[in-house]
Structures are given as C-alpha cells and as structure tokens.
Amino acid sequence: MANDGIDKPVKEKPDMDIVDLAASTDFLSTLVAAVKAGDLVDVLKGDGPFTVFAPTNEAFAKLPAGTVESLLKPENKDKLIAVLTYHVVPGIVKSTDLKDGQKAKTVQGQEITVSLSGGKAMIDNATVTAADIEATNGIVHVIDSVILPK
C-alpha cells in the first residue's frame, strides 16, 4: 500500500516505548489517560511487539457525550480494557502490510477489518491518519475514530 494521504504528524521516537511515545504526543493525551485508568501501562511498556491503532483526542471526543467519563470510572474498568485492547494487535503490522479486506485478531480477542480505498487505510470505521510510527516495542498508527468491539 502506498503511503499516499497518510501523514506523520508524530515525530518518530524509536528510543521510546509505545506508552512514552503516546505520552509525548499532545493529541494522544486522552488515550494515555485511558491506558493509565485501565492499568495497561505495564502491558504496553512490555516487550511486545505490538501494533497500536491510537485514537486521537478528537476521536474520543466523537463518542457520545459522557462515554469517555463513564469508561474512566473504576467500576467500568473491564469495559475500558476491552475497548483499549481492541486497538492493539500482537506483532508488527506496517501500513505496507495492510491488505483490503484483511482481518487481524486483537489482544481483546475479536478481529478488526482493514479496508483500503482511494489511498486511505481504514481499520473498522476509523481512518488511519498517520502510519508506521516506530517505538522500541512496536509500531503506532494514529486513527481518527475510536473503534469498538462488536
């Protein structure tokens, strides 16, 4: 897949793990807060490798009002973990590896679906806006919507 139309607004930091990379990126602060609330920091700082489809703050803001606040409550931790781990695929999946119609099993257990059209890559209903951002324990692709398990 050509990288046409996919920017890299995040400076590559191959000396940082996935969590540190996200924490150093202002527009991923909601994701970082969610990862902390879900006690997934140690997992995503682990050896991996992981491919993370990272929703921006704007992606979280597109969810119905109150959704993020509700997910961050301690009593909804299991639901939060399910949503977050649905954004993680074991191994390294670069944008050039994506195929139209491809399915990939997530850490959460369900599959995401890749679609390629007009130079854009989509993961379920989210468009990849920045691809192939390398970290020490995986790769990050920034997406414009939060994807939800079925």
Side-chain angles (χ1 to χ4, degrees), residues 9-10 22 25-31 54-58 129-130 133 142:
V10 179
T25 306
D26 290 343
F27 61 82
L28 296 177
S29 61
T30 304
L31 175 63
T56 61
N57 296 345
E58 286 181 7
T129 58
I133 303 157
V142 177

Side-chain angles (χ1 to χ4, degrees), residues 46-66:
D47 292 340
F50 304 108
T51 297
V52 175
F53 296 98
T56 61
N57 296 345
E58 286 181 7
F60 280 101
K62 286 199 264 182
L63 292 170

Side-chain angles (χ1 to χ4, degrees), residues 76-137:
N76 293 327
K77 186 174 172 182
D78 289 347
K79 197 178 290 187
L80 175 64
I81 290 170
V83 169
L84 292 174
T85 56
Y86 187 67
H87 289 78
V88 181
V89 173
I92 301 262
V93 182
K94 293 190 171 194
S95 62
T96 52
D97 299 330
L98 298 176
K99 309 269 185 278
D100 193 40
Q102 174 182 358
K103 299 208 180 282
K105 189 168 186 167
T106 67
V107 171
Q108 183 264 350
Q110 293 182 24
E111 291 183 332
I112 54 172
T113 303
V114 175
S115 55
L116 305 176
S117 177
K120 295 257 184 221
M122 294 194 65
I123 308 301
D124 287 353
N125 62 336
T127 301
V128 175
T129 58
D132 301 329
I133 303 157
E134 292 183 23
T136 56
N137 62 344

Side-chain angles (χ1 to χ4, degrees), residues 8 13 17-18 29 36 39 42 46 49 54 70-72 74 97 104 107 117 126 134 141 146:
K8 279 195 178 180
K13 300 183 179 135
D17 63 40
I18 289 168
S29 61
K36 287 178 181 173
D39 285 335
D42 288 342
S70 175
L71 283 172
L72 293 177
D97 299 330
V107 171
S117 177
E134 292 183 23
H141 304 291
V146 175

